[in-house]
Amino acid sequence: MAIKHLRTAFASQYQPGQPARLNSGEALQEPGGDYEALHKQMKRLFNSKPGKKYGRFSEDLGECPFSSWLKDYLEDKQSFGAMTDRLFNQWQELLTGCQEEFDGHLMIVHEALADADVVYLLIVETDSAMRFDGNQVLDATDVLSLSRLNLAVRIELDDWLSDNGSENYLTLVHGRGTGEAGDLFIRLAGFTNNVDVEKETMTFLDAVEAFAKNSEPEKAGEVRSRAYEFCKEQHSLGEPVEIEALSGYLDENEPQRFKEFASQNAELPETGVLHPDHRKVKKLVRIAGSGGGMSVSFSSDLVNQAVYYDRDKDALTITRLPKALREQLQRYLETREE
């Protein structure tokens, strides 16, 4: 990982109706060291976030001019410092009209990867901490949060600017509870949603399930497990699922088999890329449910082997109980009998 440019600004709005405050740092070129470590941690949080959204830049440059400023910077029509000056000024203007209190560090990072360049725009939050000062007096201070990331966007520059790039080159983290500031951040980034994650999740699940049922019975479980493993790995990398890559992963001997099957039996996007929610994809390998004071979860491979469902009686029979569960039940019954 190598950071080409990085810059931060602390913005605060504590009195709605009054001008927001903003204090920006210097534009840094290849800062290295601690900045690399901070960005690496923010990337971990970004990649691990569930429920990300995928889209592209808004075409309304009057409302969302960031994409035009960024493009000018990438084409050397303006410096990174000049581009971020404009960005920070717009952020201050947006927060001035905000009716809710807010504070946070806006950080923009231009990162060079081995195969592509990306830009991150994110809000680094703070945590309150206690310390003893030099006179051993207890003092409160704010430190950067290394465990929370609720507002961030990643821009795949090659997918955006290339003639053969993806239609969805923006990945957005928009956490719950971010309120009006969250909506303003989306406007600052110029993000517009272009992917129905719910629909693509169902497309993914239906295609894999149909392929598994079409496979030899003894291999159906392996198909589901490998599909889930692939999806989970892509999620950890912060990447979508490419059908061709998944096809090769499911069957190394016939790497095109799943792709051809899915093309004929599912409504795949022309790009051949899906953005499934990895939490819901877990249904491929686990069956779970809760309600009425009960919570049940088990591997789908155990159906008709250690778990039996009687549809007529709507009853579930479980054999080969886990040792810990069996011991808890025995202790509970012994206590009741005393």
Side-chain angles (χ1 to χ4, degrees):
M1 179 175 70
I3 295 176
K4 285 188 174 182
H5 291 98
L6 178 149
R7 196 177 184 190
T8 63
F10 179 76
S12 61
Q13 171 58 288
Y14 299 132
Q15 295 179 306
Q18 298 296 317
R21 295 184 178 183
L22 185 138
N23 181 29
S24 61
E26 295 295 324
L28 303 177
Q29 184 174 1
E30 298 181 359
D34 292 339
Y35 290 95
E36 293 275 4
L38 174 62
H39 179 51
K40 186 176 182 179
Q41 176 60 19
M42 292 298 108
K43 284 180 61 177
R44 285 198 192 99
L45 296 177
F46 186 96
N47 290 341
S48 65
K49 273 288 184 179
K52 290 190 283 287
K53 298 178 181 179
Y54 304 87
R56 57 195 299 112
F57 282 127
S58 169
E59 296 181 359
D60 188 347
L61 297 181
E63 285 287 318
C64 308
F66 172 54
S67 61
S68 64
W69 299 337
L70 180 59
K71 190 172 183 180
D72 284 347
Y73 152 66
L74 295 171
E75 294 176 350
D76 293 324
K77 295 179 181 179
Q78 66 175 333
S79 67
F80 181 78
M83 184 266 289
T84 50
D85 279 342
R86 289 180 167 185
L87 178 70
F88 293 165
N89 286 339
Q90 188 194 16
W91 185 228
Q92 185 176 18
E93 290 176 6
L94 290 173
L95 289 177
T96 294
C98 184
Q99 299 303 305
E100 299 175 359
E101 292 187 359
F102 170 86
D103 65 56
H105 299 268
L106 178 64
M107 184 166 78
I108 180 169
V109 183
H110 181 184
E111 177 189 14
L113 301 175
D115 54 352
D117 280 17
V118 296
V119 167
Y120 285 86
L121 184 66
L122 43 85
I123 299 294
V124 181
E125 300 179 35
T126 57
D127 289 326
S128 180
M130 303 295 290
R131 71 182 183 94
F132 287 106
D133 64 15
N135 296 318
Q136 288 299 293
V137 176
L138 192 61
D139 182 32
T141 187
D142 288 334
V143 296
L144 298 180
S145 175
L146 301 181
S147 61
R148 294 200 314 277
L149 181 66
N150 289 302
L151 291 172
V153 67
R154 181 179 64 197
I155 306 152
E156 307 285 352
L157 297 182
D158 287 351
D159 286 344
W160 172 35
L161 300 173
S162 172
D163 292 335
N164 300 317
S166 169
E167 293 184 0
N168 302 297
Y169 44 79
L170 299 185
T171 305
L172 174 73
V173 167
H174 182 209
R176 294 181 179 178
T178 54
E180 186 180 359
D183 295 335
L184 294 176
F185 177 82
I186 292 175
R187 180 177 167 187
L188 177 73
F191 177 90
T192 182
N193 200 359
N194 204 41
V195 173
D196 187 339
V197 174
E198 186 76 21
K199 180 180 178 181
E200 294 201 1
T201 300
M202 292 306 301
T203 297
F204 178 86
L205 288 172
D206 290 346
V208 172
E209 192 61 45
F211 185 70
K213 290 180 179 178
N214 195 58
S215 303
E216 298 175 12
E218 62 272 13
K219 291 187 177 181
E222 181 182 351
V223 167
R224 297 185 183 95
S225 296
R226 289 182 67 81
Y228 172 66
E229 289 171 3
F230 185 86
C231 184
K232 186 171 69 171
E233 177 65 21
Q234 291 301 102
H235 170 74
S236 68
L237 296 172
E239 299 291 340
V241 172
E242 294 186 5
I243 297 301
E244 186 164 1
L246 172 61
S247 185
Y249 187 79
L250 291 179
D251 192 337
E252 296 178 354
N253 296 323
E254 296 183 64
Q256 294 296 311
R257 194 161 69 93
F258 173 74
K259 179 183 177 182
E260 293 172 357
F261 178 88
S263 298
Q264 297 172 3
N265 294 276
E267 295 183 9
L268 297 178
E270 294 182 2
T271 58
V273 176
L274 290 173
H275 304 77
D277 186 333
H278 83 289
R279 297 169 299 179
K280 297 181 179 179
V281 170
K282 199 171 185 178
K283 293 178 180 178
L284 289 172
V285 295
R286 294 202 70 79
I287 295 175
S290 61
M294 181 184 302
S295 178
V296 180
S297 173
F298 51 87
S299 170
S300 57
D301 291 339
L302 296 178
V303 175
N304 293 330
Q305 294 189 41
V307 179
Y308 302 89
Y309 177 57
D310 187 326
R311 295 185 182 183
D312 295 332
K313 297 181 179 179
D314 193 25
L316 196 69
T317 301
I318 303 175
T319 63
R320 303 197 327 241
L321 291 181
K323 181 180 178 181
L325 176 59
R326 182 170 61 250
E327 291 176 348
Q328 288 181 63
L329 287 171
Q330 290 173 348
R331 285 196 299 269
Y332 177 78
L333 292 175
E334 290 170 358
T335 302
R336 292 291 299 269
E337 292 171 356
E338 292 178 356

